[in-house]
Amino acid sequence: LSLSLSLSLSPFLAHVHTRFDAYTRSYITFLNRLEESPDALKKFFEDFPERASVPIRVHPGRIRPRNPIHKDLGVLSIPVECTPAKLLHVLQSRGEQAQYIHAAYLKEQKDSDELLLDTKRSLKLQGLRKSSRASDVQMKDCCRRLLCIPMKDRYVFEGLTLIICNNYDVKGNGDVRIKWNWQQK
């Protein structure tokens, strides 16, 4: 949830996020420091407007993430004690890398969503989802195999709700569970 939006901050701060907990007061102080920041930070966002899209997660000072950039999401992590000068330094040194990783993550999410939609449409499924025990990679792998089913055999799936999981089962409500690594014979 974004406090920066509810406080009507400048658009370049719209991606600063935190959790609502005991650190809310520190977070508000952090946001006030950014609002009162020197013009260097504002000028940086004028010169590099694409860096405004880099997601930033503000964390409590006592919780230190291992890396300042989430390796899969491209989210920068900064402590609430961060000064505007330090934020500027982080954005200058790590902003481009975070932006690249985040763009790749968004593209992968879009590709994954398109794969699920294509699978659902081509098999005329009522629903398609994964169980909590199946990973996203297993779900994608299974969808790719489902798309390889010959057209003459696809009628079997019409109207079904498929659940990708680790076993085979038919639920009482008609949902069909299939193994993520099923093999076509």
Side-chain angles (χ1 to χ4, degrees):
L1 197 58
S2 175
L3 268 178
S4 58
L5 293 176
S6 64
L7 294 175
S8 301
L9 297 176
S10 304
F12 69 86
L13 298 176
H15 294 284
V16 178
H17 298 280
T18 188
R19 295 168 148 176
F20 286 100
D21 53 17
Y23 299 97
T24 304
R25 188 175 301 131
S26 299
Y27 180 69
I28 291 172
T29 304
F30 167 78
L31 293 175
N32 288 335
R33 276 196 313 268
L34 290 181
E35 278 298 302
E36 299 163 359
S37 70
D39 292 335
L41 190 59
K42 293 174 185 169
K43 178 150 178 34
F44 175 78
F45 283 111
E46 288 173 6
D47 293 343
F48 301 98
E50 68 279 356
R51 300 284 169 84
S53 67
V54 174
I56 299 171
R57 181 163 298 129
V58 180
H59 60 82
R62 63 184 178 85
I63 300 173
R64 298 274 185 224
R66 290 185 183 171
N67 298 311
I69 300 176
H70 190 285
K71 67 181 178 76
D72 296 325
L73 303 177
V75 176
L76 286 174
S77 294
I78 59 170
V80 290
E81 297 85 17
C82 184
T83 63
K86 177 69 174 165
L87 176 60
L88 179 61
H89 174 72
V90 169
L91 285 169
Q92 287 172 334
S93 63
R94 305 278 183 139
E96 188 174 352
Q97 180 185 10
Q99 185 179 357
Y100 176 79
I101 293 169
H102 189 66
Y105 166 75
L106 292 176
K107 183 183 180 312
E108 184 179 320
Q109 286 300 112
K110 183 181 175 194
D111 292 347
S112 177
D113 292 345
E114 288 176 4
L115 177 65
L116 294 177
L117 194 57
D118 286 348
T119 304
K120 192 173 173 181
R121 281 185 190 152
S122 68
L123 297 177
K124 299 179 183 170
L125 296 171
Q126 183 178 8
L128 176 65
R129 63 181 185 272
K130 69 179 184 74
S131 73
S132 58
R133 293 182 179 176
S135 70
D136 290 337
V137 173
Q138 292 170 335
M139 177 75 166
K140 289 179 202 174
D141 187 41
C142 184
C143 286
R144 286 186 192 105
R145 267 190 262 112
L146 285 168
L147 288 172
C148 292
I149 294 174
M151 294 298 272
K152 65 181 177 76
D153 297 333
R154 290 186 180 188
Y155 71 92
V156 175
F157 295 97
E158 284 185 28
L160 291 179
T161 298
L162 286 182
I163 303 170
I164 311 303
C165 60
N166 293 325
N167 60 355
Y168 297 102
D169 192 17
V170 178
K171 297 288 209 174
N173 62 2
D175 292 352
V176 177
R177 297 170 61 101
I178 63 170
K179 277 181 101 167
W180 68 271
N181 60 351
W182 63 273
Q183 296 294 319
Q184 187 173 359
K185 296 189 182 203

